Amino acid sequence: MENINIFIKAIFIDNMIFAYFLGMCSYLAVSKTVKTAIGLGAAVIFVLGVTVPVNYLLENYVLKAGALKWLSDDFANVDLSFLSFIMFIAVIASIVQLVEMTVEKFAPALYGALGIFLPLIAVNCSILGGALFMQEREYDSILQATSFGIGSGIGWLLAIVSIAAIREKIRYSNVPAPLKGLGITFIITGLMGIAFMSFMGIEL
Amino acid sequence: MSTTTAASKEGLFSAKNKKLITDPLNDSNPITVQVLGICSALAITVQLKQAFVMALSVIVVTAMANVIISLMRNMIPDRIRIIVQLVVVASLVILVDQVLKAYVYDVSKALSVFVGLIITNCIVMGRLEAFALGNKPLPSLIDGIGNGLGYGLILVIVAFFRELLGSGKLWGVQIIPDALYNAGYVNNGLMILPPMALITVGIIIWVQRSRNTKLIEK
């Protein structure tokens, strides 16, 4: 039950885009057509679903204060948490590289669809954000961390696909010249964020 | 020593270097024109103080990373440059994070994950890719400071309006007088919520582009 709760919360209430603005750069840059938006969104779900659990293990068995206790009692007082930024980003960058190579080898069709987006993802704030939120919220099990990761990814996909659909339509609307493009996208995202706030307080 | 400072001073105030500082403030503002680094820009603009600390951190990281990468630009193999950049930036961010934790603990707590997210802030990576890899350290330093300032400017403007209208305070000090509250004035609670940050930036872009028409998109 707790897992489903975390999952739903990550999609709707703590939505990466609407509540924390993570991954806005690619959200704005790649949301011109629905097709590319779906490709990038799928890649984000995939990478978040893999990196958050891996970083969870890293955090709990290497970085956290006392996490190295399993090695020997001598390490019980070691606190490596100041290294977490550099470790997380290293894990993300290498996993993205790995995922790219695996997908290219075993699923060429998927690679054709996701290919160009995968390298972009290493510097997508929502991936590192997912790892840092996981660290801050101290989930109990790896299962919870995974549901959080996949849920955040789905929330991100939802956001980018809906804005892409709106942007495809709005191209034919009469938007004031200075607001065209970037400005109106910001305002629409804000309005969508207000709509998403109606999910607040939902508990399963 | 004196000759080097004289030489660098001469370079520091040349027209080209001045342009590196002033351009990002308006014509090529990282947030409103280049669309970089919005990720972390908006979530921490509820209060002026947080925004100011965040802006300062980004200026330091951008400037330092630009200098370091520019010094190493001839040694970095092209294929692994992203990893090298990430390592340099991540180390700088760890430094900044530790300094914030030591001196302004409450702000550091409030910024939570967003200090760490400076690593993936597109401004830093973007400037490294676009400028530091092809220029000497001094112009890179100035470019870093300029872009950090352009980012900080938007952050502070957004935070100013959100804190003033949202909670009637600036820098934690109450600005709206009690008399006004007694007369029926109410804080706009919507301004504190995340979506209003987006709408505020949208309005800033609107104002900027109607004053500076060459930025309008077709």
Side-chain angles (χ1 to χ4, degrees):
Chain A
M1 210 57 211
E2 186 62 25
N3 288 326
I4 301 174
N5 198 8
I6 289 175
F7 184 70
I8 299 290
K9 223 175 144 187
I11 297 179
F12 293 109
I13 303 166
D14 290 337
N15 187 294
M16 282 281 184
I17 294 273
F18 298 130
Y20 298 105
F21 319 106
L22 296 181
M24 282 299 278
C25 307
S26 22
Y27 170 84
L28 292 170
V30 191
S31 62
K32 291 207 172 93
T33 60
V34 172
K35 212 175 148 225
T36 49
I38 291 177
L40 185 66
V44 166
I45 297 181
F46 195 62
V47 175
L48 265 176
V50 177
T51 55
V52 171
V54 172
N55 278 328
Y56 179 83
L57 292 177
L58 192 70
E59 158 81 4
N60 279 285
Y61 292 102
V62 181
L63 295 173
K64 219 155 88 177
L68 280 172
K69 206 160 176 248
W70 58 273
L71 218 55
S72 107
D73 277 342
D74 301 342
F75 292 120
N77 295 323
V78 178
D79 181 1
L80 293 177
S81 52
F82 67 93
L83 281 179
S84 49
F85 292 160
I86 204 162
M87 292 303 283
F88 286 169
I89 197 73
V91 165
I92 289 167
S94 37
I95 285 188
V96 167
Q97 195 78 52
L98 222 95
V99 164
E100 195 186 345
M101 290 189 312
T102 323
V103 171
E104 190 178 9
K105 182 105 177 101
F106 294 108
L110 185 65
Y111 183 76
L114 297 185
I116 40 166
F117 300 119
L118 280 171
L120 266 179
I121 283 182
V123 286
N124 187 323
C125 321
S126 62
I127 310 291
L128 184 63
L132 293 174
F133 275 125
M134 175 276 298
Q135 183 190 32
E136 199 187 62
R137 291 180 191 157
E138 295 174 346
Y139 289 116
D140 296 330
S141 69
I142 188 161
L143 214 62
Q144 290 189 5
T146 317
S147 11
F148 166 72
I150 295 178
S152 319
I154 295 178
W156 203 87
L157 172 96
L158 210 65
I160 194 170
V161 172
S162 23
I163 193 75
I166 295 178
R167 280 181 85 171
E168 275 188 2
K169 291 280 170 228
I170 216 162
R171 207 169 301 148
Y172 308 106
S173 314
N174 193 7
V175 179
L179 262 181
K180 262 187 192 142
L182 194 57
I184 195 74
T185 313
F186 267 104
I187 292 178
I188 291 171
T189 311
L191 295 177
M192 281 161 70
I194 294 177
F196 261 68
M197 291 189 71
S198 56
F199 290 113
M200 216 173 248
I202 291 179
E203 286 268 350
L204 280 179
Chain B
M1 182 68 196
S2 60
T3 46
T4 46
T5 42
S8 65
K9 266 225 175 76
E10 200 181 67
L12 203 59
F13 293 110
S14 66
K16 204 172 133 228
N17 284 346
K18 220 179 254 168
K19 211 165 139 53
L20 287 177
I21 287 262
T22 52
D23 250 14
L25 293 181
N26 190 4
D27 283 359
S28 65
N29 187 292
I31 293 189
T32 59
V33 182
Q34 302 177 47
V35 210
L36 295 175
I38 305 154
C39 324
S40 54
L42 304 172
I44 41 86
T45 49
V46 177
Q47 285 174 359
L48 201 53
K49 195 174 169 193
Q50 288 172 22
F52 192 75
V53 171
M54 184 71 185
L56 214 58
S57 317
V58 171
I59 293 174
V60 170
V61 173
T62 328
M64 299 276 288
N66 255 357
V67 171
I68 293 173
I69 291 293
S70 163
L71 284 172
M72 302 197 301
R73 69 185 185 283
N74 296 325
M75 289 182 269
I76 305 175
D78 209 35
R79 286 180 62 94
I80 58 158
R81 62 177 199 283
I82 304 266
I83 305 272
V84 175
Q85 290 166 3
L86 278 177
V87 171
V88 169
V89 175
S91 325
L92 286 169
V93 171
I94 291 178
L95 278 181
V96 167
D97 184 47
Q98 298 292 328
V99 169
L100 289 186
K101 273 192 184 132
Y103 291 102
V104 277
Y105 188 71
D106 52 326
V107 179
S108 155
K109 261 269 146 324
L111 290 176
S112 73
V113 302
F114 291 98
V115 180
L117 286 172
I118 298 176
I119 299 173
T120 46
N121 192 318
C122 326
I123 293 182
V124 183
M125 293 293 282
R127 289 330 290 174
L128 292 180
E129 279 283 305
F131 200 89
L133 279 176
N135 286 283
K136 290 212 173 78
L138 189 69
S140 301
L141 173 71
I142 299 169
D143 180 76
I145 295 176
N147 276 282
L149 280 175
Y151 169 88
L153 182 73
I154 301 292
L155 228 62
V156 168
I157 295 176
V158 175
F160 176 84
F161 284 111
R162 284 184 77 191
E163 193 177 2
L164 184 65
L165 300 176
S167 44
K169 294 174 181 169
L170 281 181
W171 206 272
V173 180
Q174 193 176 334
I175 293 291
I176 312 275
D178 280 329
L180 212 57
Y181 284 110
N182 293 337
Y185 176 82
V186 183
N187 284 329
N188 186 348
L190 197 60
M191 290 303 284
I192 299 179
L193 300 174
M196 279 314 284
L198 288 166
I199 295 180
T200 316
V201 174
I203 292 170
I204 290 176
I205 292 174
W206 190 358
V207 171
Q208 188 195 12
R209 293 197 178 172
S210 36
R211 291 168 61 95
N212 197 341
T213 42
K214 64 174 179 287
L215 296 175
I216 292 177
E217 291 171 40
K218 287 193 295 316

